[in-house]
Amino acid sequence: MTFTERALKILKYNRLTAIGAGIVLLVILVGVFAPVIAPYDPNVIDVPHRLGAPALKHLFGTDEMGRDIFTRVLYGCRISVSVGIAIVCVSAFFGILFGSISGYAGGKVDNVIMSISDMVLSFPSMVLALALTASLGLGLFNTMLAVSIVKIPVYVRLVRGQVLSLKQRQYVKAARTFGAPPFWIIWKHIIPNSLTPIMVQMTLGLGDAILMAASMSFIGLGAQPPTPEWGAMVNSARAYAIDQWWYAAFPGLSILVTVVGFNLLGDGIRDILDPKSKQG
Amino acid sequence: MFSFHYIRNQIIHLLLVLIGVSIITFALSHVIPGDPARMMVGDKASAATLARARVELGLDRPLTEQYYKYVTGLMHGDMGISIRSQQPVSSELKKFFPATLELTLSAMILAVIFGIILGVVAAVHRNKWPDHLCRIVSLIGVSTPLFWSGVVALIIFYKWIPIFPASGRLDTFMTPPPQVTGMYILDGLFAGQMDVVLSAIHHLILPAVCLAYVQLAIIARQVRSSMIDVLEEDYIRTARSCGIPTRRILYHYALKNALLPTVTIAGLTLADLLSGAIITETIFAWPGMGKYVVEAITFLDFPAIMGFTMIVSCVYVFINFIVDMLYRFLDPQIREVDK
């Protein structure tokens, strides 16, 4: 069965994966078309209408500056999802690079890379990301960088394991016999054959990356006001949430729905790309 | 029980990991930030003040010497002076640690008990409604931002149905019990002050449940999956064919083996809960290390942030060490492999 056939079959019979795919598609569309869909400017202040409850004019109500929360949630979708995708891509890129070098070279290079990787893994990821961002300086870019660095070892370990197994295969040995340089062998033979578990890990890691970046913004390290990032919005809403429930409810609900979508899709992609790991 | 070689190797490994942790925290506090001295004295300080601060912090010395000074300081409990309060970071963390420990331990107990129950029920009723419920609870648990669930819990259980307090560890005007452990429930029990114990539990429920929920989801998933594996083993089938009652098979034979991987997860849970406490304590104004570090972030109090990182990471490393030992203690097969 080809990849497309398997994907279509799983989407048809596994309703949860289909729901996940639908949510992700919707989130991406909302992110792309936010300026078209949004009824207001996300940063325009309208003090007379501050902290207004949800109504037809402002579907999700307004915040303490009178800004439309629905508009800010739509724009926040762009930021949160792109941050998640950027984190996963950066950490996967460096994970693949260091993991393949470590597994292929072996010996001292392997020891050094794996020791650094283990050192990073010996921290709780949230705490290390917090300390890294504090060192690098507050802001969304530094948060993305910090969370990416924290996530790299997961990919290093995964890719190294794949490389160790693949480099014993006949076709890799044959390429080596013909004098192919190591980087060519890694690029042409090893990475393409390790892509399945990497893709699965990337999709499953997306929801986690979005959550972590939002948490960093919530404690004041990531996106800074007035950026309409979901975590930062819930942080601003804290002082008002008890009396104006809508202020914190909608940005948080958006994170929940988005992460549920990515997690469901991740499980589905795992089933498509790696049927052996399908859980009962 | 454990061979000498095994214990020796484990202790060497533990020391290496701790050295690794100290190298990273040293790099984060001394190398990556542009100038820790500038952070200490502020942007408006004169060149002379800055130079004095650099000498005071030892930044004019070679990196290796700075690292040596840093590690010897850590060994003596010296984590620097908080920029915000001008107090030693170690004594401040010591003051806040019991509150965090009380919150995380309570959350862990909740997560382990309810996670195991949910996982077992889901595995036994596989593909029926309890299993679907377990999946939904797990999925929402791993997808919900902890900071949001805390805010929602406050809106529901403080504002709409006012049954829990919004912040703090005890009722206003109530005096904390005499300090033994620093955990109010235990200290209240030791002092026989039941009103303090009840008030502490009342304040603890909401933050502990919010903090426990994510980990409960992870534990339930793990228990479900390992219970399903165990229930398909030959010895369970044999037990069934011998007519042993289902309840006895489940709890006497299956659960014991299914819980082994859960030990690892539960250990890691405590470490994750310590990280999660950063957020929960901020929302519920719980006076622990998490709230302390978030306030430190607001004031860019670097020694306090690094002190917190060091403490939590050391706890994390020690928990991993204990879990590893416990796992070998519980599983005779692994002990055989070690031999």
Side-chain angles (χ1 to χ4, degrees):
Chain A
M1 200 184 284
T2 64
F3 171 82
T4 322
E5 283 170 347
R6 205 157 63 221
L8 286 174
K9 196 179 168 194
I10 283 187
L11 281 178
K12 192 176 170 187
Y13 292 105
N14 190 336
R15 272 177 295 171
L16 286 177
T17 308
I19 293 172
I23 293 173
V24 170
L25 188 68
L26 183 73
V27 165
I28 290 171
L29 287 176
V30 166
V32 172
F33 295 107
V36 183
I37 313 166
Y40 300 94
D41 184 302
N43 294 321
V44 163
I45 296 170
D46 180 15
V47 179
H49 293 102
R50 66 192 294 269
L51 298 171
L56 268 182
K57 202 176 167 199
H58 296 287
L59 282 178
F60 292 174
T62 57
D63 65 12
E64 79 277 23
M65 301 278 191
R67 293 171 297 203
D68 181 52
I69 294 175
F70 178 64
T71 303
R72 289 177 68 76
V73 164
L74 295 182
Y75 276 89
C77 177
R78 280 185 149 193
I79 298 171
S80 294
V81 175
S82 354
V83 164
I85 292 173
I87 289 170
V88 165
C89 290
V90 170
S91 42
F93 174 79
F94 286 102
I96 291 170
L97 183 71
F98 294 127
S100 43
I101 293 173
S102 175
Y104 196 83
K108 281 182 185 165
V109 177
D110 184 29
N111 280 341
V112 170
I113 293 178
M114 291 320 290
S115 300
I116 296 173
S117 172
D118 285 347
M119 268 158 69
V120 175
L121 282 174
S122 57
F123 283 85
S125 51
M126 174 81 185
V127 174
L128 183 58
L130 180 149
L132 257 172
T133 315
S135 301
L136 294 167
L138 309 187
L140 197 55
F141 180 77
N142 286 340
T143 298
M144 273 163 53
L145 198 63
V147 178
S148 305
I149 293 172
V150 168
K151 298 283 176 197
I152 289 174
V154 176
Y155 293 93
V156 172
R157 286 200 153 269
L158 181 73
V159 175
R160 178 180 174 270
Q162 290 288 312
V163 174
L164 284 178
S165 132
L166 288 172
K167 79 175 186 184
Q168 301 303 329
R169 297 279 171 92
Q170 288 295 329
Y171 57 87
V172 176
K173 283 182 179 168
R176 227 172 9 222
T177 316
F178 285 121
F183 278 102
W184 194 84
I185 295 176
I186 291 173
W187 180 248
K188 277 282 172 189
H189 295 297
I190 291 182
I191 292 178
N193 284 299
S194 322
L195 275 182
T196 303
I198 297 170
M199 287 285 290
V200 171
Q201 180 59 42
M202 282 175 79
T203 329
L204 286 171
L206 241 167
D208 190 38
I210 292 174
L211 271 183
M212 205 158 168
S215 303
M216 301 289 278
S217 293
F218 175 77
I219 54 176
L221 283 170
Q224 302 295 315
T227 313
E229 198 270 349
W230 289 338
M233 286 171 75
V234 179
N235 185 24
S236 312
R238 255 167 58 206
Y240 310 93
I242 298 293
D243 294 316
Q244 283 83 26
W245 61 268
W246 56 89
Y247 191 179
F250 292 111
L253 196 62
S254 311
I255 303 176
L256 171 63
V257 172
T258 307
V259 178
V260 163
F262 278 112
N263 281 342
L264 287 175
L265 185 66
D267 285 343
I269 288 184
R270 185 189 53 206
D271 296 347
I272 295 165
L273 293 176
D274 188 9
K276 276 182 231 161
S277 72
K278 190 173 179 180
Q279 288 177 342
Chain B
M1 184 74 49
F2 298 110
S3 69
F4 169 73
H5 288 291
Y6 172 72
I7 293 178
R8 189 194 61 189
N9 289 343
Q10 284 301 103
I11 291 175
I12 291 173
H13 182 252
L14 178 74
L15 288 175
L16 288 175
V17 173
L18 285 175
I19 291 171
V21 167
S22 70
I23 290 174
I24 290 188
T25 45
F26 172 74
L28 288 175
S29 53
H30 289 68
V31 185
I32 296 177
D35 189 351
R38 171 67 69 193
M39 290 178 77
M40 188 179 150
V41 296
D43 287 336
K44 289 174 186 163
S46 67
T49 315
L50 182 66
R52 211 166 37 245
R54 290 186 66 78
V55 174
E56 211 173 281
L57 289 172
L59 296 173
D60 55 333
R61 313 302 305 162
L63 268 185
T64 43
E65 200 180 315
Q66 288 184 44
Y67 175 69
Y68 177 75
K69 199 178 155 218
Y70 174 73
V71 172
T72 43
L74 281 180
M75 284 174 173
H76 291 93
D78 177 12
M79 292 177 173
I81 302 292
S82 160
I83 294 172
R84 187 166 46 114
S85 64
Q86 294 299 317
Q87 296 293 315
V89 171
S90 49
S91 62
E92 294 208 312
L93 287 173
K94 204 173 149 191
K95 191 168 72 188
F96 293 119
F97 187 68
T100 302
L101 194 63
E102 186 170 49
L103 175 64
T104 46
L105 283 179
S106 318
M108 188 185 169
I109 292 168
L110 286 176
V112 169
I113 292 175
F114 290 101
I116 290 175
I117 293 174
L118 195 61
V120 170
V121 172
V124 173
H125 301 281
R126 198 175 165 189
N127 290 329
K128 290 180 188 150
W129 73 264
D131 191 17
H132 299 316
L133 179 74
C134 174
R135 274 189 196 159
I136 293 169
V137 169
S138 302
L139 179 67
I140 294 178
V142 293
S143 309
T144 309
L146 187 52
F147 55 85
W148 186 66
S149 56
V151 172
V152 170
L154 276 179
I155 294 173
I156 298 174
F157 297 107
Y158 174 71
K159 171 80 180 172
W160 293 349
I161 315 164
I163 48 173
F164 290 112
S167 59
R169 294 177 73 188
L170 285 177
D171 290 337
T172 327
F173 308 121
M174 190 172 264
T175 317
Q179 183 163 353
V180 181
T181 61
M183 294 186 263
Y184 286 176
I185 297 179
L186 284 183
D187 288 355
L189 283 173
F190 292 149
Q193 299 174 340
M194 285 318 287
D195 53 336
V196 172
V197 175
L198 291 176
S199 172
I201 292 174
H202 191 213
H203 281 75
L204 188 62
I205 290 175
L206 217 49
V209 169
C210 287
L211 186 56
Y213 183 46
V214 178
Q215 302 305 322
L216 180 153
I218 296 169
I219 292 175
R221 264 187 177 186
Q222 172 64 48
V223 172
R224 176 189 176 273
S225 143
S226 49
M227 192 76 179
I228 285 173
D229 287 346
V230 171
L231 287 175
E232 282 169 359
E233 293 277 343
D234 285 344
Y235 70 90
I236 296 290
R237 208 170 298 131
T238 311
R240 280 208 177 106
S241 62
C242 289
I244 297 172
T246 311
R247 188 176 287 262
R248 187 171 163 77
I249 292 174
L250 281 180
Y251 296 105
H252 196 77
Y253 299 107
L255 188 59
K256 248 186 202 174
N257 289 311
L259 282 186
L260 268 174
T262 313
V263 172
T264 313
I265 300 282
L268 295 175
T269 291
L270 188 61
D272 283 339
L273 290 171
L274 276 171
S275 321
I278 300 171
I279 287 168
T280 314
E281 289 180 3
T282 307
I283 295 163
F284 292 95
W286 187 264
M289 289 198 308
K291 185 169 171 279
Y292 171 73
V293 79
V294 171
E295 284 166 7
I297 290 167
T298 319
F299 288 89
L300 285 178
D301 186 350
F302 220 65
I305 298 170
M306 286 308 140
F308 169 81
T309 308
M310 192 71 207
I311 289 281
V312 174
S313 306
C314 286
V315 172
Y316 188 68
V317 169
F318 276 110
I319 290 171
N320 277 336
F321 174 74
I322 292 166
V323 164
D324 204 46
M325 302 284 272
L326 199 63
Y327 203 76
R328 276 165 171 77
F329 173 73
L330 292 173
D331 192 346
Q333 287 175 350
I334 298 177
R335 282 208 300 276
E336 284 306 311
V337 171
D338 284 341
K339 283 175 191 170

